[in-house]
């Protein structure tokens, strides 16, 4: 079964992990960038989805 | 008496180091291999896992590999993005089309697989494009590291 939300979260997780390791060197910085990117993508997508209810 | 300005090359920039094409080829073929060769083993494993994970997910949810189609300029962009997956892209195309089909189908007769009626089709495409684009970024990163422009 394909769960859209799960796929979106999985995608956000992969991308966040990728950029955390590409752009940061220390574990602490990586964790911070990972958390920021992941939350922005995952939560941001859900919020955007809700806002789009207003669009006919 | 002349003043030392600190410029040993007399205003002429030293030639920039070039990255070995073989290193870039390795980085393209197998995600993370370029970093592995440069001794960045931990990063290499993470990048391999991420790119291969994205590609496999795209494949499993019936995404379609980008292949060029006549009269569809955007299909070339999709092809470029998917081509970034390196050996995974080539292997998948050969798996779908067969070796003779893959070679004989160039450039416009290739089947990218996938199922446009599947629920995960659009997601699958996104994962396939993302994996390829990430690997292209990794090639740039490998080039920077090899030229000592970053660690």
């Amino acid at each position: 079964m394909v769960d859209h939300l799960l796929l979106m979260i999985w995608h956000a997780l992969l991308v966040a992990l990728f950029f955390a390791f590409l752009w940061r060197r220390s574990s602490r910085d990586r964790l911070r960038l990972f958390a920021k990117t992941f939350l922005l993508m995952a939560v941001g997508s859900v919020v955007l989805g809700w806002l789009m209810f207003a669009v006919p | 008496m002349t003043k030392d300005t600190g410029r040993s090359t007399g205003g002429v920039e030293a030639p920039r180091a070039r990255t070995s094409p073989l290193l870039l080829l390795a980085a393209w073929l197998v995600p993370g291999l370029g970093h592995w060769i440069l001794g960045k083993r931990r990063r290499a494993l993470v990048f391999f896992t991420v790119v291969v994970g994205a590609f496999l997910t795209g494949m499993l949810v019936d995404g379609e590999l980008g292949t060029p189609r006549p009269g569809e300029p955007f299909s070339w962009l999709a092809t470029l993005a998917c081509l970034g997956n390196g050996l995974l892209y080539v292997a998948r195309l050969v798996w779908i089309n067969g070796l003779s089909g893959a070679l004989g189908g160039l450039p416009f007769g290739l089947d990218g697989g996938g199922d446009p009626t599947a629920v995960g089709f659009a997601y699958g495409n996104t994962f396939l494009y993302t994996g390829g684009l990430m690997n292209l970024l990794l090639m740039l990163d490998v080039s920077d590291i090899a030229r000592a422009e970053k660690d």
Side-chain angles (χ1 to χ4, degrees):
Chain A
M1 185 182 145
V2 179
D3 185 322
H4 289 200
L5 183 68
L6 199 69
L7 280 174
M8 188 268 286
I9 288 173
W10 174 234
H11 186 264
L13 200 125
L14 287 176
V15 173
L17 189 65
F18 175 80
F19 282 108
F21 272 81
L22 186 71
W23 283 343
R24 296 292 184 269
R25 291 293 167 262
S26 75
S27 299
R28 187 185 158 83
D29 287 344
R30 279 176 180 161
L31 192 65
R32 285 182 63 186
L33 183 65
F34 171 81
K36 260 197 281 191
T37 315
F38 176 71
L39 286 175
L40 198 69
M41 290 179 77
V43 178
S45 302
V46 173
V47 170
L48 199 64
W50 275 99
L51 289 176
M52 284 172 71
F53 271 119
V55 181
Chain B
M1 185 177 152
T2 55
K3 190 179 173 185
D4 183 12
T5 58
R7 288 186 210 157
S8 57
T9 54
V12 180
E13 282 188 26
R16 298 177 74 181
R18 295 184 66 183
T19 314
S20 157
L22 280 178
L23 181 64
L24 290 178
L25 181 69
W28 172 68
L29 280 174
V30 180
L33 184 58
H35 287 81
W36 184 275
I37 292 170
L38 292 173
K40 314 290 179 192
R41 302 278 160 97
R42 191 163 159 232
R43 257 184 272 171
L45 289 175
V46 171
F47 292 144
F48 178 83
T49 307
V50 167
V51 175
V52 173
F55 188 87
L56 290 180
T57 308
M59 220 175 68
L60 289 173
V61 296
D62 290 313
E64 180 185 16
L65 282 178
T67 53
R69 294 192 202 107
E72 294 181 36
F74 283 115
S75 70
W76 287 94
L77 291 178
T79 305
L80 178 69
C82 285
L83 200 58
N85 285 294
L87 208 55
L88 292 167
Y89 177 81
V90 178
R92 177 75 176 143
L93 270 190
V94 171
W95 179 273
I96 295 168
N97 297 278
L99 186 59
S100 57
L103 292 173
L106 289 172
F108 294 125
L110 293 169
D111 179 9
D115 177 9
T117 64
V119 179
F121 180 70
Y123 285 92
N125 291 350
T126 306
F127 273 97
L128 292 171
Y129 301 158
T130 307
L133 292 172
M134 286 194 291
N135 200 33
L136 292 177
L137 278 179
L138 288 182
M139 288 174 68
L140 294 178
D141 196 50
V142 163
S143 174
D144 284 347
I145 295 171
R147 286 184 289 121
E149 289 191 4
K150 54 187 292 202
D151 64 338

